[in-house]
Amino acid sequence: MNIWSNTSTLEDFSKNLLFTDDKSKAEIILMGSKPINLDDFPEVKGIFRAGVGRDNVPEDEAMAREIKVVFPSQETAQIIFEETANFTVSLILKMIYQDVGNLENWKKEKRLELSQKKLLILGLGNIGKLVKSKLQDSMKVMTFDLLTNKQSELEVLMRQADCLSIHIPNNKQNDSFIDSKKLNWMKDNAIIINTARGPIVSELCLLKEIRSNRLKAAFDVFWTEPYEGSLRDYHPDRFLMSPHVASTCQGFLAGCRKDLDVLIKELK
């Protein structure tokens, strides 16, 4: 079956797959994190989203057109959740220990031990819960979830946090959820980690804080990808960047290929 893709996720797992650049001939769409216009695909029968994010998938429209929409299986999704959580933890620790000393003059910076650092996890979905479980014995972990906490609680928590890790979905309600007001709540030299979606944080408001040297951040997701915006000028010291790779491990890729093969078989 002819497959049109807007992601390079499975390019090393593409053996025996038939790809086309012609949208009018595509029977299957292999989606990454970028949006699509279904009107461009008159022959499409199925969509496979190579990831667990749903914000860019036109599910309602596909259902109305009887187009089958498939996400990674539970087995594959668990690999995504676990590896994204692990990658998030690595960013948290990397940023906390970023400025510990100087080799040139053998200077050792004063620092608070990790056990006294406060981490705020925003969102207790699959990934947020895993980050909590991995760090709760090493740091003072606080949590805030939009479904269980009162909005008034967030300011108190953000003012305490040495590090904020974002794990809420990207939707209209959460667009620029972290805005100028919320960024102003954060203490000087606090760290923001984002492995969820770029638009959850206001790009311009974050740029202002990074440019003033007040906050630091590590992002794996961006407002447009590949990201070429102004925050790139502050990589890697105050705005550490990685190219949307949090879940991209061999197990995830092999699982997605297996799940895609199931869809192809069903549609033939």
Side-chain angles (χ1 to χ4, degrees), residues 224-244:
T224 57
E225 296 181 5
Y227 181 66
E228 300 293 342
S230 298
L231 278 161
R232 191 174 179 127
D233 295 339
Y234 299 91
H235 171 80
D237 296 329
R238 299 204 70 84
F239 187 70
L240 181 66
M241 299 172 57
S242 53
H244 205 150

Side-chain angles (χ1 to χ4, degrees), residues 11 22 28 34 37 51 68 85 114 138 150 174 188-189 191 195 222 231-232 246-247 262 266:
E11 62 182 12
D22 188 344
I28 292 177
K34 298 174 184 176
N37 182 354
K68 190 176 183 66
L114 185 63
S138 302
K150 297 178 181 178
N174 291 341
D188 290 352
N189 292 314
I191 298 162
T195 56
F222 304 91
L231 278 161
R232 191 174 179 127
S247 64
V262 170
E266 289 178 352

Side-chain angles (χ1 to χ4, degrees), residues 15-27:
K15 185 178 180 180
N16 298 325
L17 294 179
L18 181 62
F19 287 95
T20 180
D21 292 327
D22 188 344
K23 295 178 181 180
S24 68
K25 295 181 179 179
E27 297 166 279

Side-chain angles (χ1 to χ4, degrees), residues 46 54 86 98 121 141 180 201:
R54 310 181 82 99
N86 288 336
Q98 188 181 42
I121 297 173
V141 176
S180 178
V201 181

Side-chain angles (χ1 to χ4, degrees), residues 49-224:
R49 170 68 168 95
V52 293
R54 310 181 82 99
D55 53 293
N56 64 317
V57 183
E59 293 185 73
D60 292 339
E61 186 182 355
M63 183 180 298
R65 291 175 51 175
E66 298 184 345
I67 298 169
K68 190 176 183 66
V69 178
V70 174
F71 291 85
S73 63
Q74 185 174 354
E75 180 182 2
T76 305
Q78 193 56 46
I79 297 171
I80 296 172
F81 299 146
E82 185 74 27
E83 188 61 16
T84 302
N86 288 336
F87 191 82
T88 302
V89 169
S90 78
L91 292 180
I92 292 169
L93 296 178
K94 183 180 292 185
M95 294 301 288
I96 287 176
Y97 286 109
Q98 188 181 42
D99 300 312
V100 294
N102 189 314
L103 276 172
E104 291 183 7
N105 55 19
W106 209 254
K107 182 181 178 182
K108 302 173 185 180
E109 299 292 344
K110 295 178 181 179
R111 71 172 189 264
L112 195 65
E113 60 269 29
L114 185 63
S115 63
Q116 298 305 306
K117 292 282 189 178
K118 292 183 178 179
L119 168 67
L120 174 57
I121 297 173
L122 177 60
L124 283 177
N126 291 292
I127 297 168
K129 286 178 181 176
L130 283 169
V131 173
K132 177 185 176 183
S133 69
K134 292 172 186 296
L135 286 175
Q136 62 187 356
D137 292 332
S138 302
M139 302 179 68
K140 295 182 181 296
V141 176
M142 309 177 294
T143 63
F144 179 91
D145 192 272
L146 294 166
L147 298 178
T148 57
N149 291 89
K150 297 178 181 178
Q151 283 280 357
S152 58
E153 298 175 55
L154 184 56
E155 180 178 356
V156 176
L157 295 171
M158 286 188 69
R159 288 189 181 277
Q160 297 179 57
D162 297 294
C163 182
L164 169 68
S165 189
I166 298 170
H167 303 284
I168 60 176
N170 183 38
N171 52 40
K172 291 181 180 179
Q173 292 73 29
N174 291 341
D175 187 49
S176 292
F177 181 82
I178 303 297
D179 55 11
S180 178
K181 180 179 179 180
K182 292 185 178 72
L183 290 172
N184 284 332
W185 291 343
M186 302 190 74
K187 62 174 71 172
D188 290 352
N189 292 314
I191 298 162
I192 302 171
I193 308 293
N194 191 358
T195 56
R197 284 292 184 270
I200 295 169
V201 181
S202 166
E203 181 181 7
L204 291 178
C205 295
L206 180 62
L207 175 61
K208 180 181 177 181
E209 296 288 356
I210 298 294
R211 184 177 281 160
S212 69
N213 291 331
R214 201 181 75 80
L215 300 178
K216 294 182 179 181
F219 274 45
D220 184 55
V221 290
F222 304 91
W223 302 269
T224 57

